[in-house]
Amino acid sequence: MKQMVTNMLAERGVRLTDVAALVYALQQPYQPRLTLADCLASVASVLEKREVQYALLTGITIDTLAEQGLLAEPLQSVIAQDEPLYGIDEVLALSITNVYGTIGLTNFGYLDKTKMGVLATINDNPHAVHTFLDDLVAGLAAAASARLAHNGWRATD
Amino acid sequence: MKQMVTNMLAERGVRLTDVAALVYALQQPYQPRLTLADCLASVASVLEKREVQYALLTGITIDTLAEQGLLAEPLQSVIAQDEPLYGIDEVLALSITNVYGTIGLTNFGYLDKTKMGVLATINDNPHAVHTFLDDLVAGLAAAASARLAHNGWRATD
Amino acid sequence: MKQMVTNMLAERGVRLTDVAALVYALQQPYQPRLTLADCLASVASVLEKREVQYALLTGITIDTLAEQGLLAEPLQSVIAQDEPLYGIDEVLALSITNVYGTIGLTNFGYLDKTKMGVLATINDNPHAVHTFLDDLVAGLAAAASARLAHNGWRATD
Amino acid sequence: MKQMVTNMLAERGVRLTDVAALVYALQQPYQPRLTLADCLASVASVLEKREVQYALLTGITIDTLAEQGLLAEPLQSVIAQDEPLYGIDEVLALSITNVYGTIGLTNFGYLDKTKMGVLATINDNPHAVHTFLDDLVAGLAAAASARLAHNGWRATD
């Protein structure tokens, strides 16, 4: 299932190295010797969690159906236009972030607001529906950062 | 939009009076003079919240697509079989319950485990997919109960 | 820190075997060959999570301060009387339950409502303040059950 | 109780106008005719929610006890040093933000990371313990922004 989710992300324009780059930008200031390979390994580890896989699977499926115009109204319009009051995308992203505790919350919000790196690329594509994808990817990067923070701490505990 | 969501619930076999009956069972022991009409009014009030409408809309749409076999695999099988480790239905239900604070959490879990009233009817239908619906209805009843608890308290404050 | 939290629980009247008994009652119907020792091992594993330790530490400290009358008003009265609209105890418990995903939510609510096993003992003690403790222990048992559910699933994956 | 919480915030260095200024910075780009008075009214309205009052009351009480060195170890050190892996402050803040739905999540994380306005003042005070306060104030501003977003939407609905 992990491979399937990784493939779905790639088809939607997000490689795991793109997510790792977000993790590096978030976490390297606090863990100076961190490498991009460490970040990639952390993203891969988060992707093994069933809860994370299901959140990604569900959100990307909804995005894709909306892109193909296959959702019933009014949900079709709400998702296709990324209606600002629709918060279910954040709800799903939060279930990813929570897997490594609430310390990921701040990073999730920061990424979602500033749209760094691959998040800008996703968001600026006018032909695709990425209502869920940008939040989910921000949540994934936040969880992988929280995981590194917990592990770094444990290493010196 | 509230009317549209009410209609969707009815099409899926849940009338607002069914939800009100759950609220009455939960809350009447603590507020003895509570009537079924009070409970129905509380359910109707919760249904005016945009967050609640979007959660119901999203979950019921996914159930319906799964029932029609229109979701891509592996999500189609996960939803159609109500895979026990799939927790996104609970995540959506929680976003309903939270609208009146965390005191609704206990009632949500209790309803979801005991499957009282309409929840049993929904759950026992072998021809329908109600993976999201039972959790969402439990969340709606829990939120309407929490609203009554908050209001009852305020009345004597 | 895990040993310290285990000791704090014991001082407040909760042994890990009491929590394991709750886990067994929740999970054995679904995993018939489960033993009490498996449940105890799962509780011990959940207690290694930093997020879980901090939630227990914070909640038990507040309970103890309230028991000694050391909190400033109005919080002192709210906690000492377990005011029904106070939901921060549920919030902390949820941060424990979430560590193994949202599938634990239902069990948390069920335990918190039915007050099985050690939860009844805690709750019926008129000389102690256990406003946070009962929710935290329910959250811990729910998380340990969710962990077993995830692992059982993985075993056959 | 609302007045009591307002006073506690003021004693800890946070006036409601400071929170309103954060709301204005977040929300004015999307609602150009918004005034600081609108933002202040929204903050005041959020403060009427019982859940919000209890979260503020609990968090500020813990900060104050830690500042006076009155918490038992190890919690005393964890809070006094604002240990980065301690996430209970975010958990409490989230229970504030959630009162107006999950659309506030992004703004909460952004404020918590960038430490705008009064959040910088709070955070830079070396003589005070504001482990909970900065998160709670960010959560309060995020909830008041979400409330304005929901209401603005309704106005044109």
Side-chain angles (χ1 to χ4, degrees):
Chain A
M1 171 102 61
K2 183 187 171 184
Q3 191 53 50
M4 208 180 296
V5 172
T6 304
N7 294 346
M8 282 180 83
L9 281 168
E11 279 163 29
R12 303 298 293 172
V14 178
R15 293 162 306 170
L16 300 195
T17 49
D18 298 325
V19 188
L22 295 174
V23 177
Y24 186 82
L26 289 172
Q27 205 58 30
Q28 195 272 344
Y30 306 101
Q31 301 185 316
R33 284 185 288 182
L34 198 70
T35 66
L36 205 57
D38 296 332
C39 296
L40 187 60
S42 190
V43 172
S45 177
V46 173
L47 275 179
E48 295 200 2
K49 299 260 176 185
R50 185 63 38 169
E51 183 94 356
V52 172
Q53 295 167 356
Y54 282 148
L56 287 164
L57 205 56
T58 306
I60 294 175
T61 298
I62 298 174
D63 273 355
T64 308
L65 287 166
E67 202 170 292
Q68 299 168 342
L70 295 178
L71 295 175
E73 288 296 352
L75 193 61
Q76 172 66 34
S77 301
V78 167
I79 306 278
Q81 296 160 22
D82 203 352
E83 154 66 40
L85 297 180
Y86 186 76
I88 308 300
D89 40 352
E90 277 88 2
V91 172
L92 257 65
L94 191 57
S95 81
I96 295 179
T97 304
N98 275 341
V99 162
Y100 283 94
T102 42
I103 62 166
L105 213 59
T106 300
N107 279 337
F108 165 68
Y110 181 71
L111 288 178
D112 197 34
K113 183 93 177 176
T114 56
K115 304 286 180 199
M116 292 162 55
V118 72
L119 298 172
T121 319
I122 295 172
N123 235 40
D124 293 348
N125 184 336
H127 304 297
V129 174
H130 289 150
T131 297
F132 277 86
L133 187 65
D134 59 350
D135 290 292
L136 294 169
V137 169
L140 182 57
S145 296
R147 187 181 165 280
L148 288 168
H150 278 292
N151 286 354
W153 185 91
R154 273 181 203 132
T156 61
D157 191 24
Chain B
M1 170 105 56
K2 184 187 169 184
Q3 191 53 51
M4 209 180 295
V5 172
T6 304
N7 294 346
M8 283 181 82
L9 281 168
E11 280 163 29
R12 303 298 291 171
V14 178
R15 293 162 306 169
L16 300 195
T17 49
D18 298 324
V19 187
L22 295 173
V23 177
Y24 185 82
L26 290 172
Q27 205 58 30
Q28 196 272 344
Y30 306 101
Q31 302 185 315
R33 285 186 287 181
L34 198 70
T35 66
L36 206 57
D38 296 333
C39 296
L40 187 59
S42 190
V43 173
S45 178
V46 173
L47 276 178
E48 296 200 2
K49 299 260 176 184
R50 185 64 38 170
E51 184 93 356
V52 172
Q53 295 167 357
Y54 282 148
L56 287 164
L57 205 55
T58 306
I60 294 174
T61 299
I62 298 174
D63 273 355
T64 308
L65 287 166
E67 202 169 292
Q68 300 167 341
L70 295 177
L71 294 175
E73 287 297 352
L75 192 61
Q76 172 66 35
S77 301
V78 168
I79 306 278
Q81 296 161 21
D82 203 354
E83 154 67 39
L85 296 180
Y86 186 76
I88 307 299
D89 40 352
E90 277 89 2
V91 172
L92 256 65
L94 191 56
S95 81
I96 295 179
T97 304
N98 274 341
V99 162
Y100 283 95
T102 43
I103 62 166
L105 213 59
T106 300
N107 279 336
F108 164 69
Y110 181 71
L111 287 179
D112 197 33
K113 183 93 177 173
T114 56
K115 305 284 181 200
M116 294 161 55
V118 72
L119 298 172
T121 319
I122 296 171
N123 234 41
D124 294 347
N125 184 336
H127 304 297
V129 174
H130 289 150
T131 298
F132 278 87
L133 188 65
D134 60 349
D135 290 292
L136 294 169
V137 169
L140 182 56
S145 297
R147 187 181 164 279
L148 288 168
H150 277 292
N151 286 354
W153 186 92
R154 272 181 204 133
T156 61
D157 191 24
Chain C
M1 169 103 58
K2 184 187 169 184
Q3 191 52 53
M4 209 180 296
V5 171
T6 304
N7 294 346
M8 282 179 82
L9 281 169
E11 280 163 27
R12 303 298 292 171
V14 179
R15 293 162 307 169
L16 299 195
T17 50
D18 298 325
V19 187
L22 295 173
V23 176
Y24 186 82
L26 289 172
Q27 205 57 29
Q28 196 272 343
Y30 305 101
Q31 301 184 315
R33 282 185 288 183
L34 197 71
T35 66
L36 206 57
D38 296 332
C39 297
L40 187 60
S42 191
V43 173
S45 177
V46 173
L47 276 178
E48 295 200 3
K49 299 261 177 184
R50 185 64 39 169
E51 184 93 356
V52 173
Q53 295 167 357
Y54 281 148
L56 287 164
L57 205 57
T58 306
I60 294 175
T61 299
I62 298 174
D63 272 354
T64 308
L65 287 165
E67 201 170 292
Q68 299 167 343
L70 295 177
L71 293 176
E73 287 296 353
L75 192 61
Q76 172 66 35
S77 300
V78 167
I79 307 278
Q81 296 160 22
D82 203 352
E83 154 66 39
L85 296 180
Y86 185 77
I88 308 300
D89 38 355
E90 276 89 3
V91 172
L92 257 65
L94 191 57
S95 79
I96 295 179
T97 303
N98 275 340
V99 162
Y100 282 95
T102 43
I103 62 166
L105 212 59
T106 300
N107 279 336
F108 165 69
Y110 181 71
L111 287 178
D112 197 33
K113 183 93 178 175
T114 55
K115 304 285 182 200
M116 292 162 56
V118 71
L119 298 173
T121 320
I122 295 171
N123 234 40
D124 294 348
N125 183 336
H127 304 297
V129 174
H130 290 150
T131 297
F132 277 86
L133 187 65
D134 59 349
D135 290 293
L136 294 169
V137 168
L140 181 57
S145 297
R147 187 181 164 280
L148 288 168
H150 277 293
N151 286 354
W153 185 92
R154 273 181 203 132
T156 62
D157 193 23
Chain D
M1 170 104 58
K2 184 186 169 184
Q3 192 52 52
M4 210 180 295
V5 171
T6 305
N7 293 346
M8 282 180 83
L9 282 168
E11 280 163 28
R12 303 299 292 172
V14 178
R15 293 163 306 170
L16 300 194
T17 49
D18 298 326
V19 187
L22 295 173
V23 177
Y24 185 83
L26 289 171
Q27 206 56 31
Q28 197 272 343
Y30 306 100
Q31 301 184 317
R33 283 184 287 182
L34 197 70
T35 66
L36 205 58
D38 296 332
C39 297
L40 187 59
S42 190
V43 173
S45 178
V46 173
L47 276 179
E48 295 200 3
K49 299 260 177 185
R50 184 66 37 171
E51 183 94 355
V52 173
Q53 295 166 358
Y54 282 147
L56 287 164
L57 205 56
T58 306
I60 294 175
T61 298
I62 298 174
D63 273 355
T64 308
L65 287 166
E67 201 170 292
Q68 299 166 343
L70 295 178
L71 294 175
E73 287 296 352
L75 192 61
Q76 172 66 34
S77 300
V78 167
I79 306 278
Q81 296 160 23
D82 203 352
E83 155 65 40
L85 296 180
Y86 185 77
I88 308 299
D89 39 354
E90 276 89 3
V91 172
L92 257 64
L94 191 56
S95 80
I96 295 179
T97 303
N98 275 341
V99 162
Y100 282 95
T102 43
I103 62 166
L105 213 60
T106 300
N107 278 336
F108 165 70
Y110 181 72
L111 287 178
D112 197 35
K113 183 95 177 173
T114 56
K115 305 283 181 201
M116 293 162 55
V118 71
L119 298 172
T121 320
I122 295 171
N123 234 40
D124 294 348
N125 184 337
H127 304 298
V129 174
H130 288 150
T131 297
F132 278 86
L133 188 65
D134 59 351
D135 290 292
L136 294 169
V137 169
L140 182 57
S145 297
R147 188 181 164 279
L148 288 168
H150 276 292
N151 285 353
W153 186 91
R154 274 181 204 133
T156 61
D157 193 22

